Structure formats: C-alpha cells, structure tokens
Amino acid sequence: MKIAQRIKAIPPYLFAEIDKKKAEAIKNGVDIINLGIGDPDQPTPDNIIKKLNESVVDPKTHDYPPYAGTEDFRQAVSIWYKNRFGVNLDADREVMALIGSKEGIAHIFLAFIDPGDFSLIPDPAYPVYKTGTLFADGFPYIMPLLEKNGFLPDLEEIEEEIARKAKIMFINYPNNPTGAVADKTFFEKVVKFAKKYDILVCHDFAYSEMTYDDYKASSFLEVDGAKDVGLEFHSLSKTYNMTGWRLGFVVGNAEAISALSIIKTNIDSGVFKAIQRAGVEALTGSQDNIQMMNEMYTERRNIVINGLNKLGWNLKPIKATFYIWIPTLNNMSSMDFANLLLEKAGIIVTPGIGYGEYGEGYVRIALTVGEKRLQEAMERLKSLQF
Ligand SMILES: Cc1ncc(COP(=O)(O)O)c(C=O)c1O
C-alpha cells in the first residue's frame, strides 16, 4: 500500500500531546474546564428543530436534492443577504448551498489551483485554507496577521512575483482565531489588489452575526466591484447553533460558483432537503436567538477579559467571534503555556501554533462554556504562579 504524497504533505497533528494529557487528567478525575472547543454549547433554536421534524416525514424530501441547493433555500439566502447587508444576489447564479462552509472552502482550491499555483492565505488561520491548497498541489503563500496591524494582512508586503502567480486569496473577518474584525476600507484595498493581479478573493464569513457592543460586521460584497473578484463563504453553524447539521452556502461571483459546482457535482450530491427546509426557517424565521446568544457571549467575554486583565494581561474586549487570543506569559511557547494551564489548572486552551507559525506565542480561549465555569477558570488562574 502506498499512500499519496499529498497526505504526507499535510502538517503534523500538533495537539496529540495535549490530547494525551487531557485523557490522562480526565482518567485521574481532574475537573477539566475545556476552553479549546469552537463549537456553540447552546442548542439549535426550537423553530428550526420543529421545521426539520415536519420536513423529515415528508417523502418529498427523501430523494436526491438539487446539486446547487433547493430553489427555496437559495431564495432564502438571497433575501437574508438583501435584508442584512443590502447586497443583491441572483439566487440562481450567485448562491450555492454547501455541506457546511468547510466543504466549500476545501473544494474551492480544486476549482482554482493548478499544480504549482500559489494561494495567498493568512496565518494564523483556520487550517483548511492551507490543507485545501496542498490537496490541489498548490503552494500556500503566508500573509502574516500581526497584532500591530490589527491582525489584517499587509497587502504591500506580498511579493510582486508571487502576487502575479497567485490564483486565490483567503481572508476571514470576524477572524478565527484572533477575534479581529475588518472594515470596508480594508475590503476596498483587497478588491483593488485582486483586480490588479486577477485573483479570486474568498472571504470566510462564518462569524458574521456573532458580534458585540453595537458592532455589526460588513459583508465583503458590500464593497464596489467585490462581486467581480470574490466569493463569500457562509455557515449556519455558529449563527444558529447548527454545527452538526452541516449547512452552509457560498455567494458572489457567478463564474467562480459555477467552477466550484463542477467540482462538487463530481464529489457530493448536495444537502438533505429536510435540512435545507430547516435552513430556510433559520434564515427567514425569528432572528431573536442571535441577539440572545450575543448577549450571553458578551457576559462571558467580560468575565474572561476582566479576569485576565486583573492577572496582568492587557486585552481589549473583542467585538466579534467567541474567541479570545491571548499572548502567553514569560515568552513561553504556545504549546508549553497550554500544557502548563492543563497540568496546573485543569484548563484546556488551544496553542496558537496549531493555526500557523504566526500563531506562536498565543493561545486561543473559546467562550463555549457557561459563566460559572469561566469564573472558576479565572479563579484557578489566580492561584497560579506565572
Ligand atoms: C473560520 C472558520 N471558517 C469555517 C468554519 C467551518 O464551519 P462549518 O463547516 O461548520 O460551516 C469554521 C469552523 O469552526 C471556522 O472557524
């Protein structure tokens, strides 16, 4: 048996040591507080579950779904976009359903990267941008996200020769793992850059609704000319607590969506129609739950930010996402710091190195446990000697 080179090219799994320590700690009866998981801890809203229940018993949902998503789902996406961002989308050509946004993000590289082509990807970042490039036999070119630049890539630092060879750029705001946000001025710069070098821009907008303190995230497609060069990847996972349902969508440039659909029609057969009906309910029904979730995350954010600032950090409250990206103390590596928190305080955080080389020196805290447990985590940290 000879496994393909592309599997060997995938970066090693970095969390094996922490996973082992976590398993040991649990075995030894340690009360673990897990701040490592980027998965909402609250259930999917009732109206969405009810719609699935109704839909699943209707035999009309039992056959193969249309590849691009049902007409109703694509229409619902188009209406949601118009209401939320003022962006017009042609539901037939500019919207496509995905089996969660991860699926579309992984496959877009196969539609745009030929062997040897470059992708421009942020670091630290959601790892799929890199692995998607490698699976397409392309070269990932790193755009460092530095704190001094507000965790935005500096487009002027991209080498001219690489920019000319690049086919895709990925950006992601609100950002995982840094919690950073971007404004329209940044998006305008990206559109200009993409037009100059003829690059497809993919904006990963998974955290679009998870925002706090009156901040509202702008869509990349709100910027003039963005649809000429770009796609936006969306997910119902975080917005509606639907991570396990596997429903997302991509919107924007019709030609790029058509290219992606050629890859997808040869790999998958779409999303179960009953889930798409539930998705229509999510997008067109009451949006009150989003507000409730954001209030809940704001409370949690305040506990962690205030708690850590009392311990010597100097963190600003994040405006979006449920991630807090904190520098390690005493110049510790992210892995050593995460290990220390696990061993001495029973707290799991994600080492920044798992998101790329520029994640080194940071760890990510996810606000996916309740207030009491977060307070307990802060208490435990207080008793640690750093
Ligand atoms: C930045 C980012 N993009 C995309 C995804 C994928 O979400 P899904 O496939 O559930 O839509 C995630 C999930 O954690 C994420 O953090």
Side-chain angles (χ1 to χ4, degrees):
M1 203 192 289
K2 293 185 191 78
I3 289 169
Q5 286 302 326
R6 74 174 60 82
I7 300 290
K8 294 179 192 149
I10 296 303
Y13 182 64
L14 291 166
F15 302 139
E17 192 191 338
I18 287 215
D19 284 354
K20 210 169 120 206
K21 287 206 167 112
K22 176 178 138 192
E24 258 167 44
I26 291 171
K27 212 169 103 197
N28 295 335
V30 177
D31 175 22
I32 294 284
I33 303 178
N34 194 344
L35 308 180
I37 303 176
D39 196 345
D41 58 319
Q42 298 298 305
T44 307
D46 285 344
N47 61 319
I48 303 172
I49 295 174
K50 193 162 158 262
K51 182 58 80 179
L52 178 75
N53 274 330
E54 279 165 31
S55 308
V56 84
V57 292
D58 178 357
K60 288 203 193 87
T61 66
H62 296 174
D63 57 350
Y64 282 121
Y67 283 112
T70 62
E71 168 87 34
D72 286 351
F73 181 71
R74 285 181 283 107
Q75 285 292 351
V77 168
S78 168
I79 292 164
W80 189 81
Y81 246 75
K82 180 75 189 163
N83 292 340
R84 172 69 178 84
F85 305 109
V87 170
N88 292 312
L89 293 171
D90 175 344
D92 289 332
R93 300 169 56 247
E94 296 175 339
V95 180
M96 186 162 68
L98 299 172
I99 312 170
S101 65
K102 183 179 191 177
E103 177 266 305
I105 292 168
H107 285 143
I108 192 69
F109 293 96
L110 293 179
F112 280 84
I113 296 281
D114 284 317
D117 285 345
F118 281 84
S119 68
L120 305 176
I121 59 164
D123 179 329
Y126 185 55
V128 181
Y129 316 144
K130 185 173 194 174
T131 51
T133 305
L134 296 174
F135 280 161
D137 294 328
F139 294 118
Y141 177 87
I142 298 299
M143 301 187 292
L145 302 187
L146 306 177
E147 197 161 350
K148 65 172 183 178
N149 298 331
F151 297 111
L152 299 174
D154 183 348
L155 304 183
E156 278 160 28
E157 287 289 314
I158 298 168
E159 289 164 47
E160 176 82 24
E161 200 193 333
I162 302 284
R164 269 193 263 111
K165 283 195 221 153
K167 295 283 181 64
I168 288 193
M169 174 192 284
F170 251 91
I171 51 174
N172 162 226
Y173 296 97
N175 183 260
N176 174 16
T178 67
V181 296
D183 59 15
K184 282 198 211 162
T185 318
F186 170 71
F187 290 151
E188 278 160 8
K189 279 191 204 154
V190 172
V191 169
K192 213 168 141 198
F193 185 91
K195 288 202 166 179
K196 180 170 175 194
Y197 295 108
D198 197 15
I199 290 170
L200 174 76
V201 177
C202 295
H203 181 221
D204 180 349
F205 209 17
Y207 297 89
S208 70
E209 305 312 296
M210 203 182 267
T211 58
Y212 318 118
D213 306 336
D214 300 329
Y215 173 75
K216 278 229 166 234
S218 300
S219 159
F220 175 69
L221 298 178
E222 284 176 50
V223 166
D224 278 348
K227 219 195 266 178
D228 300 336
V229 296
L231 291 176
E232 201 151 65
F233 286 88
H234 244 285
S235 172
L236 278 77
S237 291
K238 312 287 156 92
T239 307
Y240 301 105
N241 299 336
M242 291 174 73
T243 47
W245 297 55
R246 311 313 303 134
L247 183 59
F249 54 91
V250 59
V251 297
N253 187 277
E255 202 187 333
I257 288 186
S258 165
L260 176 59
S261 82
I262 290 172
I263 301 293
K264 277 175 59 58
T265 48
N266 285 287
I267 290 181
D268 67 67
S269 299
V271 178
F272 181 26
K273 281 187 200 165
I275 288 183
Q276 293 193 58
R277 283 194 195 169
V280 172
E281 174 61 27
L283 293 167
T284 59
S286 166
Q287 304 292 298
D288 291 352
N289 197 66
I290 296 177
Q291 180 63 24
M292 270 162 50
M293 288 300 109
N294 287 348
E295 282 166 18
M296 180 190 80
Y297 292 129
T298 305
E299 293 300 320
R300 293 179 181 183
R301 173 200 70 175
N302 293 346
I303 292 168
V304 172
I305 297 274
N306 294 338
L308 292 177
N309 282 349
K310 276 189 200 139
L311 294 174
W313 271 274
N314 184 18
L315 306 166
K316 290 199 195 82
I318 44 157
K319 289 191 190 148
T321 77
F322 50 18
Y323 303 120
I324 300 187
W325 186 240
I326 67 166
T328 64
L329 294 180
N330 304 332
N331 288 322
M332 284 175 91
S333 77
S334 61
M335 206 63 97
D336 285 350
F337 192 64
N339 272 324
L340 177 91
L341 295 188
L342 175 55
E343 278 166 23
K344 301 271 196 265
I347 297 172
I348 295 179
V349 297
T350 316
I353 188 71
Y355 301 96
E357 60 182 297
Y358 288 89
E360 187 49 282
Y362 292 86
V363 296
R364 191 192 76 173
I365 291 177
L367 301 171
T368 46
V369 305
E371 288 179 33
K372 276 214 178 93
R373 294 295 276 166
L374 288 174
Q375 266 150 358
E376 161 79 22
M378 294 303 114
E379 286 303 316
R380 289 190 196 176
L381 290 181
K382 243 191 236 171
S383 58
L384 273 188
Q385 300 288 319
F386 286 115

